[in-house]
Amino acid sequence: MRVLVQRVTTARVSVDGEIVGAIDPNPQGLLALVGVTHDDDAAKARRMAEKLWQLRILDGEKSAADVAAPILVISQFTLYANTDKGRRPSWNAAAPGPVAEPLVDEFAEALRKLGAVAQTGVFGADMQVELVNDGPVTVLLEL
Protein backbone atom coordinates (compact mmCIF):
# COMPACT_ATOMS: atom_id res chain seq x y z
CA MET A 1 0.00 0.00 0.00
CA ARG A 2 1.17 3.48 -0.88
CA VAL A 3 -0.27 6.74 0.37
CA LEU A 4 0.85 10.02 -1.10
CA VAL A 5 0.05 12.60 1.58
CA GLN A 6 -0.18 16.31 0.99
CA ARG A 7 -0.57 18.88 3.73
CA VAL A 8 -3.35 21.19 2.53
CA THR A 9 -5.24 24.28 3.54
CA THR A 10 -8.25 23.12 1.52
CA ALA A 11 -9.16 20.21 -0.76
CA ARG A 12 -12.21 18.87 -2.52
CA VAL A 13 -13.15 16.15 -4.97
CA SER A 14 -15.91 16.33 -7.55
CA VAL A 15 -17.62 13.77 -9.77
CA ASP A 16 -19.71 14.99 -12.71
CA GLY A 17 -19.48 18.55 -11.37
CA GLU A 18 -20.83 17.62 -7.92
CA ILE A 19 -18.62 17.88 -4.82
CA VAL A 20 -18.58 14.44 -3.17
CA GLY A 21 -15.92 15.06 -0.52
CA ALA A 22 -14.24 18.16 0.86
CA ILE A 23 -12.19 19.46 3.72
CA ASP A 24 -11.82 23.09 4.64
CA PRO A 25 -9.35 22.81 7.46
CA ASN A 26 -8.58 25.48 9.95
CA PRO A 27 -5.70 25.87 9.43
CA GLN A 28 -4.51 22.54 7.91
CA GLY A 29 -5.62 19.08 6.85
CA LEU A 30 -4.33 16.16 4.82
CA LEU A 31 -5.11 14.87 1.34
CA ALA A 32 -4.32 11.15 1.13
CA LEU A 33 -4.03 9.55 -2.31
CA VAL A 34 -4.22 5.80 -1.67
CA GLY A 35 -2.80 3.11 -3.96
CA VAL A 36 -3.34 -0.61 -3.37
CA THR A 37 -1.25 -3.49 -4.69
CA HIS A 38 -1.94 -7.23 -4.94
CA ASP A 39 -0.57 -8.37 -1.56
CA ASP A 40 -2.26 -5.67 0.55
CA ASP A 41 -4.86 -6.65 3.12
CA ALA A 42 -7.15 -5.11 5.75
CA ALA A 43 -4.48 -5.29 8.46
CA LYS A 44 -2.07 -3.32 6.28
CA ALA A 45 -4.77 -0.73 5.54
CA ARG A 46 -5.34 -0.26 9.29
CA ARG A 47 -1.58 0.05 9.97
CA MET A 48 -1.28 2.63 7.21
CA ALA A 49 -4.19 4.62 8.65
CA GLU A 50 -2.47 4.63 12.05
CA LYS A 51 0.80 5.75 10.45
CA LEU A 52 -0.91 8.61 8.63
CA TRP A 53 -2.91 9.67 11.71
CA GLN A 54 0.28 9.91 13.78
CA LEU A 55 2.55 11.41 11.05
CA ARG A 56 4.02 14.69 12.30
CA ILE A 57 3.89 16.87 9.18
CA LEU A 58 1.56 19.65 10.32
CA ASP A 59 2.79 22.99 11.67
CA GLY A 60 4.79 22.69 14.87
CA GLU A 61 5.62 19.04 14.07
CA LYS A 62 2.11 18.04 15.04
CA SER A 63 0.12 15.12 13.68
CA ALA A 64 -3.48 14.98 12.50
CA ALA A 65 -4.19 13.15 15.78
CA ASP A 66 -2.73 16.05 17.78
CA VAL A 67 -4.96 18.70 16.21
CA ALA A 68 -7.91 16.69 14.86
CA ALA A 69 -6.99 17.67 11.30
CA PRO A 70 -9.48 16.50 8.65
CA ILE A 71 -8.39 14.01 5.98
CA LEU A 72 -9.65 13.60 2.42
CA VAL A 73 -9.04 10.05 1.11
CA ILE A 74 -8.89 9.48 -2.66
CA SER A 75 -8.24 6.14 -4.37
CA GLN A 76 -5.26 6.42 -6.72
CA PHE A 77 -4.23 3.26 -8.59
CA THR A 78 -1.70 5.28 -10.60
CA LEU A 79 0.62 5.33 -7.58
CA TYR A 80 1.62 1.85 -8.76
CA ALA A 81 2.55 2.92 -12.30
CA ASN A 82 5.59 1.17 -13.73
CA THR A 83 7.42 3.52 -16.08
CA ASP A 84 10.60 1.46 -16.55
CA LYS A 85 10.00 0.71 -20.23
CA GLY A 86 8.71 2.85 -23.03
CA ARG A 87 6.44 5.83 -22.75
CA ARG A 88 3.25 4.13 -21.63
CA PRO A 89 2.97 3.24 -17.92
CA SER A 90 2.04 -0.28 -16.92
CA TRP A 91 -0.56 -0.69 -14.17
CA ASN A 92 0.19 -4.37 -13.44
CA ALA A 93 1.27 -3.68 -9.85
CA ALA A 94 -2.03 -1.98 -9.00
CA ALA A 95 -4.65 -4.25 -7.45
CA PRO A 96 -7.86 -4.66 -9.46
CA GLY A 97 -10.95 -2.76 -8.33
CA PRO A 98 -12.63 -5.66 -6.48
CA VAL A 99 -9.47 -6.02 -4.34
CA ALA A 100 -8.58 -2.34 -3.99
CA GLU A 101 -11.98 -0.79 -3.25
CA PRO A 102 -12.63 -2.58 0.06
CA LEU A 103 -9.08 -1.79 1.20
CA VAL A 104 -9.43 1.93 0.44
CA ASP A 105 -12.74 1.80 2.36
CA GLU A 106 -10.99 -0.02 5.23
CA PHE A 107 -8.27 2.64 5.29
CA ALA A 108 -10.84 5.47 5.51
CA GLU A 109 -12.89 3.63 8.13
CA ALA A 110 -9.77 2.93 10.21
CA LEU A 111 -9.01 6.66 10.20
CA ARG A 112 -12.54 7.36 11.44
CA LYS A 113 -12.17 4.79 14.22
CA LEU A 114 -8.97 6.56 15.28
CA GLY A 115 -10.97 9.79 15.57
CA ALA A 116 -10.39 11.42 12.18
CA VAL A 117 -12.97 13.34 10.25
CA ALA A 118 -12.31 11.54 6.97
CA GLN A 119 -14.15 12.10 3.72
CA THR A 120 -13.67 10.18 0.48
CA GLY A 121 -14.04 10.38 -3.26
CA VAL A 122 -15.94 7.80 -5.33
CA PHE A 123 -13.92 4.69 -6.12
CA GLY A 124 -13.39 4.15 -9.84
CA ALA A 125 -15.08 7.41 -10.84
CA ASP A 126 -13.56 10.11 -13.02
CA MET A 127 -12.74 12.49 -10.17
CA GLN A 128 -11.50 16.06 -10.24
CA VAL A 129 -9.39 16.86 -7.19
CA GLU A 130 -8.67 20.44 -6.20
CA LEU A 131 -6.26 21.34 -3.43
CA VAL A 132 -4.01 23.99 -2.04
CA ASN A 133 -0.81 22.27 -0.94
CA ASP A 134 0.55 23.99 2.16
CA GLY A 135 4.31 24.35 2.39
CA PRO A 136 4.40 22.56 0.00
CA VAL A 137 4.57 19.36 2.01
CA THR A 138 4.17 16.04 0.19
CA VAL A 139 5.22 12.68 1.66
CA LEU A 140 5.05 9.15 0.26
CA LEU A 141 4.16 6.47 2.83
CA GLU A 142 4.66 2.79 2.04
CA LEU A 143 4.04 -0.46 3.86
Side-chain angles (χ1 to χ4, degrees), residues 112-143:
R112 291 181 192 109
K113 287 179 181 175
L114 290 166
V117 173
Q119 293 198 28
T120 63
V122 177
F123 189 92
D126 181 15
M127 295 180 276
Q128 288 71 52
V129 179
E130 299 175 57
L131 66 122
V132 176
N133 191 318
D134 183 38
V137 174
T138 303
V139 177
L140 180 62
L141 304 177
E142 256 185 303
L143 284 180

PDB file of all heavy atoms in Angstrom, residues 112-143:
ATOM      1  N   ARG A 112     -11.377   6.905  10.657  1.00  0.00           N
ATOM      2  CA  ARG A 112     -12.544   7.358  11.439  1.00  0.00           C
ATOM      3  C   ARG A 112     -12.544   6.734  12.828  1.00  0.00           C
ATOM      4  O   ARG A 112     -12.852   7.406  13.817  1.00  0.00           O
ATOM      5  CB  ARG A 112     -13.830   7.038  10.697  1.00  0.00           C
ATOM      6  CG  ARG A 112     -14.024   7.861   9.437  1.00  0.00           C
ATOM      7  CD  ARG A 112     -15.338   7.542   8.735  1.00  0.00           C
ATOM      8  NE  ARG A 112     -15.348   8.132   7.410  1.00  0.00           N
ATOM      9  CZ  ARG A 112     -15.262   7.456   6.276  1.00  0.00           C
ATOM     10  NH1 ARG A 112     -15.207   6.116   6.286  1.00  0.00           N
ATOM     11  NH2 ARG A 112     -15.264   8.084   5.116  1.00  0.00           N
ATOM     12  N   LYS A 113     -12.211   5.460  12.916  1.00  0.00           N
ATOM     13  CA  LYS A 113     -12.173   4.788  14.223  1.00  0.00           C
ATOM     14  C   LYS A 113     -11.090   5.367  15.120  1.00  0.00           C
ATOM     15  O   LYS A 113     -11.213   5.339  16.344  1.00  0.00           O
ATOM     16  CB  LYS A 113     -11.969   3.280  14.044  1.00  0.00           C
ATOM     17  CG  LYS A 113     -13.213   2.587  13.514  1.00  0.00           C
ATOM     18  CD  LYS A 113     -12.982   1.115  13.322  1.00  0.00           C
ATOM     19  CE  LYS A 113     -14.235   0.445  12.774  1.00  0.00           C
ATOM     20  NZ  LYS A 113     -14.024  -0.969  12.460  1.00  0.00           N
ATOM     21  N   LEU A 114     -10.034   5.913  14.508  1.00  0.00           N
ATOM     22  CA  LEU A 114      -8.973   6.560  15.278  1.00  0.00           C
ATOM     23  C   LEU A 114      -9.391   7.956  15.744  1.00  0.00           C
ATOM     24  O   LEU A 114      -8.723   8.554  16.580  1.00  0.00           O
ATOM     25  CB  LEU A 114      -7.691   6.647  14.445  1.00  0.00           C
ATOM     26  CG  LEU A 114      -6.997   5.322  14.182  1.00  0.00           C
ATOM     27  CD1 LEU A 114      -5.957   5.475  13.077  1.00  0.00           C
ATOM     28  CD2 LEU A 114      -6.356   4.789  15.454  1.00  0.00           C
ATOM     29  N   GLY A 115     -10.473   8.474  15.179  1.00  0.00           N
ATOM     30  CA  GLY A 115     -10.966   9.790  15.570  1.00  0.00           C
ATOM     31  C   GLY A 115     -10.925  10.825  14.470  1.00  0.00           C
ATOM     32  O   GLY A 115     -11.288  11.988  14.698  1.00  0.00           O
ATOM     33  N   ALA A 116     -10.504  10.458  13.281  1.00  0.00           N
ATOM     34  CA  ALA A 116     -10.386  11.422  12.184  1.00  0.00           C
ATOM     35  C   ALA A 116     -11.749  11.742  11.585  1.00  0.00           C
ATOM     36  O   ALA A 116     -12.629  10.888  11.514  1.00  0.00           O
ATOM     37  CB  ALA A 116      -9.481  10.862  11.091  1.00  0.00           C
ATOM     38  N   VAL A 117     -11.877  12.969  11.133  1.00  0.00           N
ATOM     39  CA  VAL A 117     -12.971  13.341  10.247  1.00  0.00           C
ATOM     40  C   VAL A 117     -12.424  13.077   8.853  1.00  0.00           C
ATOM     41  O   VAL A 117     -11.579  13.816   8.348  1.00  0.00           O
ATOM     42  CB  VAL A 117     -13.367  14.820  10.414  1.00  0.00           C
ATOM     43  CG1 VAL A 117     -14.391  15.217   9.372  1.00  0.00           C
ATOM     44  CG2 VAL A 117     -13.877  15.076  11.814  1.00  0.00           C
ATOM     45  N   ALA A 118     -12.847  11.964   8.260  1.00  0.00           N
ATOM     46  CA  ALA A 118     -12.315  11.538   6.965  1.00  0.00           C
ATOM     47  C   ALA A 118     -13.433  11.479   5.942  1.00  0.00           C
ATOM     48  O   ALA A 118     -14.450  10.834   6.166  1.00  0.00           O
ATOM     49  CB  ALA A 118     -11.647  10.168   7.098  1.00  0.00           C
ATOM     50  N   GLN A 119     -13.229  12.169   4.843  1.00  0.00           N
ATOM     51  CA  GLN A 119     -14.151  12.105   3.717  1.00  0.00           C
ATOM     52  C   GLN A 119     -13.449  11.399   2.570  1.00  0.00           C
ATOM     53  O   GLN A 119     -12.221  11.263   2.570  1.00  0.00           O
ATOM     54  CB  GLN A 119     -14.598  13.500   3.312  1.00  0.00           C
ATOM     55  CG  GLN A 119     -15.445  14.145   4.385  1.00  0.00           C
ATOM     56  CD  GLN A 119     -16.236  15.315   3.843  1.00  0.00           C
ATOM     57  OE1 GLN A 119     -16.584  15.382   2.678  1.00  0.00           O
ATOM     58  NE2 GLN A 119     -16.529  16.260   4.727  1.00  0.00           N
ATOM     59  N   THR A 120     -14.239  10.953   1.580  1.00  0.00           N
ATOM     60  CA  THR A 120     -13.670  10.183   0.478  1.00  0.00           C
ATOM     61  C   THR A 120     -14.215  10.673  -0.862  1.00  0.00           C
ATOM     62  O   THR A 120     -15.225  11.372  -0.918  1.00  0.00           O
ATOM     63  CB  THR A 120     -14.006   8.684   0.602  1.00  0.00           C
ATOM     64  OG1 THR A 120     -15.422   8.528   0.509  1.00  0.00           O
ATOM     65  CG2 THR A 120     -13.495   8.098   1.910  1.00  0.00           C
ATOM     66  N   GLY A 121     -13.533  10.215  -1.903  1.00  0.00           N
ATOM     67  CA  GLY A 121     -14.043  10.379  -3.257  1.00  0.00           C
ATOM     68  C   GLY A 121     -14.941   9.194  -3.578  1.00  0.00           C
ATOM     69  O   GLY A 121     -15.457   8.528  -2.686  1.00  0.00           O
ATOM     70  N   VAL A 122     -15.118   8.920  -4.874  1.00  0.00           N
ATOM     71  CA  VAL A 122     -15.937   7.802  -5.333  1.00  0.00           C
ATOM     72  C   VAL A 122     -15.015   6.843  -6.074  1.00  0.00           C
ATOM     73  O   VAL A 122     -14.449   7.198  -7.121  1.00  0.00           O
ATOM     74  CB  VAL A 122     -17.072   8.285  -6.261  1.00  0.00           C
ATOM     75  CG1 VAL A 122     -17.861   7.098  -6.792  1.00  0.00           C
ATOM     76  CG2 VAL A 122     -17.977   9.254  -5.522  1.00  0.00           C
ATOM     77  N   PHE A 123     -14.854   5.643  -5.546  1.00  0.00           N
ATOM     78  CA  PHE A 123     -13.924   4.688  -6.118  1.00  0.00           C
ATOM     79  C   PHE A 123     -14.263   4.419  -7.581  1.00  0.00           C
ATOM     80  O   PHE A 123     -15.408   4.172  -7.942  1.00  0.00           O
ATOM     81  CB  PHE A 123     -13.951   3.361  -5.340  1.00  0.00           C
ATOM     82  CG  PHE A 123     -12.858   2.428  -5.761  1.00  0.00           C
ATOM     83  CD1 PHE A 123     -11.646   2.438  -5.115  1.00  0.00           C
ATOM     84  CD2 PHE A 123     -13.035   1.563  -6.828  1.00  0.00           C
ATOM     85  CE1 PHE A 123     -10.623   1.601  -5.508  1.00  0.00           C
ATOM     86  CE2 PHE A 123     -12.027   0.718  -7.238  1.00  0.00           C
ATOM     87  CZ  PHE A 123     -10.814   0.737  -6.582  1.00  0.00           C
ATOM     88  N   GLY A 124     -13.242   4.481  -8.430  1.00  0.00           N
ATOM     89  CA  GLY A 124     -13.390   4.154  -9.839  1.00  0.00           C
ATOM     90  C   GLY A 124     -14.006   5.240 -10.695  1.00  0.00           C
ATOM     91  O   GLY A 124     -14.082   5.103 -11.914  1.00  0.00           O
ATOM     92  N   ALA A 125     -14.447   6.325 -10.085  1.00  0.00           N
ATOM     93  CA  ALA A 125     -15.079   7.411 -10.843  1.00  0.00           C
ATOM     94  C   ALA A 125     -14.010   8.309 -11.454  1.00  0.00           C
ATOM     95  O   ALA A 125     -12.856   8.334 -11.013  1.00  0.00           O
ATOM     96  CB  ALA A 125     -15.985   8.234  -9.926  1.00  0.00           C
ATOM     97  N   ASP A 126     -14.405   9.066 -12.460  1.00  0.00           N
ATOM     98  CA  ASP A 126     -13.556  10.109 -13.018  1.00  0.00           C
ATOM     99  C   ASP A 126     -13.680  11.303 -12.077  1.00  0.00           C
ATOM    100  O   ASP A 126     -14.680  12.018 -12.102  1.00  0.00           O
ATOM    101  CB  ASP A 126     -14.022  10.462 -14.429  1.00  0.00           C
ATOM    102  CG  ASP A 126     -13.162  11.533 -15.075  1.00  0.00           C
ATOM    103  OD1 ASP A 126     -12.048  11.807 -14.578  1.00  0.00           O
ATOM    104  OD2 ASP A 126     -13.615  12.113 -16.081  1.00  0.00           O
ATOM    105  N   MET A 127     -12.681  11.473 -11.220  1.00  0.00           N
ATOM    106  CA  MET A 127     -12.739  12.492 -10.174  1.00  0.00           C
ATOM    107  C   MET A 127     -11.863  13.682 -10.538  1.00  0.00           C
ATOM    108  O   MET A 127     -10.807  13.513 -11.145  1.00  0.00           O
ATOM    109  CB  MET A 127     -12.272  11.909  -8.836  1.00  0.00           C
ATOM    110  CG  MET A 127     -13.156  10.818  -8.288  1.00  0.00           C
ATOM    111  SD  MET A 127     -12.564  10.149  -6.716  1.00  0.00           S
ATOM    112  CE  MET A 127     -11.362   8.948  -7.284  1.00  0.00           C
ATOM    113  N   GLN A 128     -12.305  14.856 -10.132  1.00  0.00           N
ATOM    114  CA  GLN A 128     -11.497  16.058 -10.236  1.00  0.00           C
ATOM    115  C   GLN A 128     -11.151  16.470  -8.811  1.00  0.00           C
ATOM    116  O   GLN A 128     -12.059  16.707  -8.007  1.00  0.00           O
ATOM    117  CB  GLN A 128     -12.250  17.189 -10.947  1.00  0.00           C
ATOM    118  CG  GLN A 128     -12.423  16.976 -12.449  1.00  0.00           C
ATOM    119  CD  GLN A 128     -13.405  15.867 -12.771  1.00  0.00           C
ATOM    120  OE1 GLN A 128     -14.531  15.862 -12.281  1.00  0.00           O
ATOM    121  NE2 GLN A 128     -12.983  14.917 -13.579  1.00  0.00           N
ATOM    122  N   VAL A 129      -9.862  16.538  -8.537  1.00  0.00           N
ATOM    123  CA  VAL A 129      -9.391  16.859  -7.194  1.00  0.00           C
ATOM    124  C   VAL A 129      -8.754  18.242  -7.230  1.00  0.00           C
ATOM    125  O   VAL A 129      -7.880  18.509  -8.051  1.00  0.00           O
ATOM    126  CB  VAL A 129      -8.365  15.817  -6.693  1.00  0.00           C
ATOM    127  CG1 VAL A 129      -7.876  16.176  -5.298  1.00  0.00           C
ATOM    128  CG2 VAL A 129      -8.967  14.419  -6.724  1.00  0.00           C
ATOM    129  N   GLU A 130      -9.226  19.101  -6.338  1.00  0.00           N
ATOM    130  CA  GLU A 130      -8.667  20.438  -6.202  1.00  0.00           C
ATOM    131  C   GLU A 130      -8.071  20.550  -4.802  1.00  0.00           C
ATOM    132  O   GLU A 130      -8.670  20.080  -3.833  1.00  0.00           O
ATOM    133  CB  GLU A 130      -9.748  21.495  -6.366  1.00  0.00           C
ATOM    134  CG  GLU A 130     -10.424  21.484  -7.720  1.00  0.00           C
ATOM    135  CD  GLU A 130     -11.558  22.477  -7.781  1.00  0.00           C
ATOM    136  OE1 GLU A 130     -11.309  23.681  -7.528  1.00  0.00           O
ATOM    137  OE2 GLU A 130     -12.681  22.042  -8.047  1.00  0.00           O
ATOM    138  N   LEU A 131      -6.899  21.187  -4.735  1.00  0.00           N
ATOM    139  CA  LEU A 131      -6.265  21.343  -3.433  1.00  0.00           C
ATOM    140  C   LEU A 131      -5.333  22.533  -3.434  1.00  0.00           C
ATOM    141  O   LEU A 131      -4.875  22.979  -4.483  1.00  0.00           O
ATOM    142  CB  LEU A 131      -5.474  20.085  -3.066  1.00  0.00           C
ATOM    143  CG  LEU A 131      -4.257  19.795  -3.959  1.00  0.00           C
ATOM    144  CD1 LEU A 131      -3.008  19.737  -3.124  1.00  0.00           C
ATOM    145  CD2 LEU A 131      -4.478  18.500  -4.707  1.00  0.00           C
ATOM    146  N   VAL A 132      -5.066  23.009  -2.250  1.00  0.00           N
ATOM    147  CA  VAL A 132      -4.012  23.986  -2.041  1.00  0.00           C
ATOM    148  C   VAL A 132      -3.012  23.310  -1.124  1.00  0.00           C
ATOM    149  O   VAL A 132      -3.282  23.082   0.061  1.00  0.00           O
ATOM    150  CB  VAL A 132      -4.550  25.296  -1.416  1.00  0.00           C
ATOM    151  CG1 VAL A 132      -3.398  26.248  -1.129  1.00  0.00           C
ATOM    152  CG2 VAL A 132      -5.575  25.943  -2.336  1.00  0.00           C
ATOM    153  N   ASN A 133      -1.864  22.936  -1.699  1.00  0.00           N
ATOM    154  CA  ASN A 133      -0.809  22.272  -0.943  1.00  0.00           C
ATOM    155  C   ASN A 133      -0.124  23.321  -0.090  1.00  0.00           C
ATOM    156  O   ASN A 133       0.296  24.360  -0.587  1.00  0.00           O
ATOM    157  CB  ASN A 133       0.179  21.608  -1.916  1.00  0.00           C
ATOM    158  CG  ASN A 133       1.160  20.688  -1.229  1.00  0.00           C
ATOM    159  OD1 ASN A 133       1.685  20.996  -0.167  1.00  0.00           O
ATOM    160  ND2 ASN A 133       1.432  19.573  -1.847  1.00  0.00           N
ATOM    161  N   ASP A 134      -0.020  23.048   1.194  1.00  0.00           N
ATOM    162  CA  ASP A 134       0.545  23.992   2.157  1.00  0.00           C
ATOM    163  C   ASP A 134       1.999  23.653   2.425  1.00  0.00           C
ATOM    164  O   ASP A 134       2.307  22.554   2.897  1.00  0.00           O
ATOM    165  CB  ASP A 134      -0.276  23.922   3.454  1.00  0.00           C
ATOM    166  CG  ASP A 134       0.184  24.919   4.486  1.00  0.00           C
ATOM    167  OD1 ASP A 134       0.546  26.054   4.102  1.00  0.00           O
ATOM    168  OD2 ASP A 134       0.187  24.587   5.679  1.00  0.00           O
ATOM    169  N   GLY A 135       2.878  24.555   2.112  1.00  0.00           N
ATOM    170  CA  GLY A 135       4.306  24.354   2.388  1.00  0.00           C
ATOM    171  C   GLY A 135       5.179  24.602   1.176  1.00  0.00           C
ATOM    172  O   GLY A 135       5.931  25.533   1.152  1.00  0.00           O
ATOM    173  N   PRO A 136       5.159  23.798   0.162  1.00  0.00           N
ATOM    174  CA  PRO A 136       4.397  22.562   0.002  1.00  0.00           C
ATOM    175  C   PRO A 136       5.011  21.415   0.790  1.00  0.00           C
ATOM    176  O   PRO A 136       6.236  21.310   0.910  1.00  0.00           O
ATOM    177  CB  PRO A 136       4.472  22.274  -1.497  1.00  0.00           C
ATOM    178  CG  PRO A 136       5.759  22.896  -1.925  1.00  0.00           C
ATOM    179  CD  PRO A 136       5.986  24.084  -1.039  1.00  0.00           C
ATOM    180  N   VAL A 137       4.141  20.573   1.321  1.00  0.00           N
ATOM    181  CA  VAL A 137       4.570  19.359   2.014  1.00  0.00           C
ATOM    182  C   VAL A 137       3.873  18.183   1.349  1.00  0.00           C
ATOM    183  O   VAL A 137       2.636  18.128   1.314  1.00  0.00           O
ATOM    184  CB  VAL A 137       4.222  19.396   3.514  1.00  0.00           C
ATOM    185  CG1 VAL A 137       4.542  18.065   4.180  1.00  0.00           C
ATOM    186  CG2 VAL A 137       4.969  20.543   4.211  1.00  0.00           C
ATOM    187  N   THR A 138       4.669  17.264   0.813  1.00  0.00           N
ATOM    188  CA  THR A 138       4.168  16.035   0.190  1.00  0.00           C
ATOM    189  C   THR A 138       5.071  14.894   0.616  1.00  0.00           C
ATOM    190  O   THR A 138       6.295  14.992   0.493  1.00  0.00           O
ATOM    191  CB  THR A 138       4.165  16.156  -1.348  1.00  0.00           C
ATOM    192  OG1 THR A 138       3.371  17.284  -1.731  1.00  0.00           O
ATOM    193  CG2 THR A 138       3.609  14.905  -2.000  1.00  0.00           C
ATOM    194  N   VAL A 139       4.466  13.808   1.136  1.00  0.00           N
ATOM    195  CA  VAL A 139       5.225  12.676   1.662  1.00  0.00           C
ATOM    196  C   VAL A 139       4.628  11.380   1.116  1.00  0.00           C
ATOM    197  O   VAL A 139       3.407  11.224   1.096  1.00  0.00           O
ATOM    198  CB  VAL A 139       5.178  12.660   3.215  1.00  0.00           C
ATOM    199  CG1 VAL A 139       5.888  11.451   3.781  1.00  0.00           C
ATOM    200  CG2 VAL A 139       5.768  13.953   3.778  1.00  0.00           C
ATOM    201  N   LEU A 140       5.490  10.456   0.709  1.00  0.00           N
ATOM    202  CA  LEU A 140       5.045   9.146   0.264  1.00  0.00           C
ATOM    203  C   LEU A 140       5.221   8.143   1.395  1.00  0.00           C
ATOM    204  O   LEU A 140       6.341   7.954   1.884  1.00  0.00           O
ATOM    205  CB  LEU A 140       5.836   8.691  -0.965  1.00  0.00           C
ATOM    206  CG  LEU A 140       5.457   7.328  -1.519  1.00  0.00           C
ATOM    207  CD1 LEU A 140       4.011   7.303  -2.003  1.00  0.00           C
ATOM    208  CD2 LEU A 140       6.407   6.928  -2.645  1.00  0.00           C
ATOM    209  N   LEU A 141       4.119   7.524   1.817  1.00  0.00           N
ATOM    210  CA  LEU A 141       4.157   6.474   2.832  1.00  0.00           C
ATOM    211  C   LEU A 141       4.009   5.124   2.145  1.00  0.00           C
ATOM    212  O   LEU A 141       3.204   4.989   1.222  1.00  0.00           O
ATOM    213  CB  LEU A 141       2.995   6.647   3.825  1.00  0.00           C
ATOM    214  CG  LEU A 141       2.880   7.974   4.554  1.00  0.00           C
ATOM    215  CD1 LEU A 141       1.636   7.973   5.431  1.00  0.00           C
ATOM    216  CD2 LEU A 141       4.117   8.252   5.362  1.00  0.00           C
ATOM    217  N   GLU A 142       4.752   4.141   2.607  1.00  0.00           N
ATOM    218  CA  GLU A 142       4.660   2.794   2.037  1.00  0.00           C
ATOM    219  C   GLU A 142       4.739   1.761   3.135  1.00  0.00           C
ATOM    220  O   GLU A 142       5.478   1.907   4.096  1.00  0.00           O
ATOM    221  CB  GLU A 142       5.819   2.549   1.047  1.00  0.00           C
ATOM    222  CG  GLU A 142       5.389   2.619  -0.366  1.00  0.00           C
ATOM    223  CD  GLU A 142       6.490   2.254  -1.338  1.00  0.00           C
ATOM    224  OE1 GLU A 142       7.553   2.877  -1.307  1.00  0.00           O
ATOM    225  OE2 GLU A 142       6.247   1.341  -2.134  1.00  0.00           O
ATOM    226  N   LEU A 143       3.956   0.694   2.974  1.00  0.00           N
ATOM    227  CA  LEU A 143       4.035  -0.464   3.857  1.00  0.00           C
ATOM    228  C   LEU A 143       4.133  -1.700   2.997  1.00  0.00           C
ATOM    229  O   LEU A 143       3.608  -1.785   1.931  1.00  0.00           O
ATOM    230  CB  LEU A 143       2.799  -0.584   4.742  1.00  0.00           C
ATOM    231  CG  LEU A 143       2.693   0.371   5.915  1.00  0.00           C
ATOM    232  CD1 LEU A 143       1.399   0.130   6.693  1.00  0.00           C
ATOM    233  CD2 LEU A 143       3.861   0.216   6.849  1.00  0.00           C
TER     234      LEU A 143
END
